[in-house]
């Protein structure tokens, strides 16, 4: 997930991290604790970051389009 996010959104490290957290939370099937350890943040922060990024996607079509590309790649 992180590699795909970096490849797709390589011009903005902050956005790469946000997308990686969101996608890991939504699609990886990993426990919050494990995702949090990977990003060095707490379990609650994973949920909050994922929620904020979801809202960001609703208001920013460019971000949503990039995330859609990553999701399609994950499903292959």
């Amino acid at each position: 997930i992180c590699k795909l996010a970096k490849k797709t959104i390589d011009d903005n490290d902050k956005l790469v991290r946000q997308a990686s957290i969101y996608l890991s939370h939504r699609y990886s099937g990993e426990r919050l604790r494990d995702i949090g350890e990977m990003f060095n943040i707490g379990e609650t922060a994973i949920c909050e970051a994922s929620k904020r990024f979801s809202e960001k996607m609703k208001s920013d079509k460019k971000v949503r389009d990039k995330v859609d590309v990553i999701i399609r790649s994950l499903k292959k």
Side-chain angles (χ1 to χ4, degrees):
I1 289 175
C2 294
K3 287 179 184 178
L4 280 172
K6 180 68 175 162
K7 180 179 174 186
T8 307
I9 316 169
D10 81 294
D11 60 336
N12 185 331
D13 288 341
K14 182 178 178 182
L15 193 58
V16 168
R17 179 178 167 84
Q18 292 171 341
S20 296
I21 291 170
Y22 169 79
L23 292 165
S24 294
H25 180 228
R26 294 289 308 272
Y27 296 96
S28 72
E30 294 292 326
R31 297 180 314 167
L32 288 176
R33 178 181 303 167
D34 296 333
I35 296 169
E37 287 175 4
M38 186 167 60
F39 292 99
N40 202 28
I41 59 178
E43 296 173 36
T44 304
I46 294 292
C47 294
E48 289 300 315
S50 184
K51 182 178 170 184
R52 283 191 304 272
F53 191 77
S54 179
E55 291 299 316
K56 181 180 212 150
M57 287 192 309
K58 289 177 185 176
S59 65
D60 189 333
K61 184 179 180 341
K62 287 168 78 173
V63 171
R64 186 172 58 248
D65 290 346
K66 289 182 179 189
V67 171
D68 286 342
V69 168
I70 296 167
I71 292 169
R72 282 193 303 273
S73 294
L74 290 172
K75 292 182 177 180
K76 289 182 179 179

